[in-house]
Amino acid sequence: MTLLLAIEKDDKIHYAGDRCETTSYTKRTLPHSKWIPHRGWRIGLAGSSKFGSLLMTDSRWRSILGPSGEESVEQVFAFVRCCQEIIAADGWHPEKSDRYPAQFNTSGMIVSPIGVFSFCSAFSVYQHGPGEFVAMGSGADFAVGCWEACQQIGGKRTTDQILALCMEAGAKYAGGVSGPFDYGYVEVRNGSRSMIWEGGANKIG
């Protein structure tokens, strides 16, 4: 399982993720981050490691996400459509169980200078606004609760320090989350940008 977090605050988008990978009843620590850096973009992968392997071996999506200063919402949708094509070309059919629907195997989060996006089943794209705490994966509810508690308590903790507490909360109470944890941030592009589906979703299938 996975825990991915992101928050846009003070002209930066802070993000975090764990390195736990579970298969049936086994759990191991990945030797690499679940966040793929590409130009000014950060692609956080949740669900099946098969999805991540496909994106690492099929690089056609890399030409879609533009260089620094040229990022756009249209590129986000094109990227997700490309994920559909990569999955179809491989012939992979994500497994479905009573506990985890198939779309959980092909979900992820995109952090960029133009905002935070999440996608599920490579079909639906969600755009998240400034100040919206975004949590995805196992332990997400615990991370959200920790974030809200820290906001209520106040104090002098930095955003990075609160994210660290949220990751620890997820790891403590969710069996599919474990360290080491990866943290980073990208700077938000100056100037206003449109919110296309603030808090909503767009089907592209």
Side-chain angles (χ1 to χ4, degrees), residues 5-202:
L5 308 177
I7 176 73
E8 179 179 342
K9 191 173 183 180
D10 301 326
D11 297 323
K12 292 181 180 178
I13 299 176
H14 303 260
Y15 62 90
D18 76 324
R19 293 194 181 188
C20 180
E21 181 185 50
T22 55
T23 304
S24 297
Y25 294 100
T26 63
K27 183 168 70 173
R28 74 184 186 98
T29 300
L30 293 173
H32 55 78
S33 172
K34 292 180 180 177
W35 289 94
I36 302 175
H38 178 64
R39 296 174 172 169
W41 306 81
R42 300 294 182 270
I43 314 299
L45 299 180
S48 173
S49 59
K50 169 73 172 181
F51 184 39
S53 297
L54 287 178
L55 293 191
M56 294 304 293
T57 56
D58 192 327
S59 61
R60 72 181 85 175
W61 60 270
R62 293 182 180 273
S63 62
I64 294 173
L65 299 177
S68 179
E70 299 180 13
E71 300 90 350
S72 70
V73 173
E74 290 75 18
Q75 292 170 13
V76 174
F77 296 130
F79 165 78
V80 177
R81 282 192 293 267
C82 185
C83 289
Q84 290 177 306
E85 296 170 1
I86 291 172
I87 293 170
D90 180 77
W92 177 44
H93 298 285
E95 297 179 1
K96 180 180 179 180
S97 67
D98 292 337
R99 188 176 182 186
Y100 299 113
Q103 64 263 28
F104 283 11
N105 288 319
T106 54
S107 58
M109 196 180 297
I110 301 172
V111 167
S112 73
I114 58 172
V116 181
F117 303 83
S118 59
F119 59 93
C120 188
S121 80
F123 285 92
S124 298
V125 178
Y126 297 77
Q127 185 178 24
H128 303 278
E132 180 181 353
F133 182 68
V134 187
M136 173 180 286
S138 179
D141 290 343
F142 299 112
V144 170
C146 180
W147 175 269
E148 294 297 334
C150 289
Q151 303 310 302
Q152 293 294 325
I153 295 172
K156 297 182 179 180
R157 291 188 180 93
T158 66
T159 300
D160 288 335
Q161 289 172 333
I162 297 176
L163 281 185
L165 291 174
C166 292
M167 292 300 299
E168 292 290 349
K172 182 175 181 178
Y173 296 106
V177 180
S178 63
F181 305 127
D182 297 294
Y183 303 92
Y185 72 88
V186 298
E187 295 186 355
V188 177
R189 183 188 301 171
N190 292 330
S192 61
R193 64 182 189 276
S194 59
M195 290 296 297
I196 309 301
W197 290 282
E198 185 169 5
N202 178 49

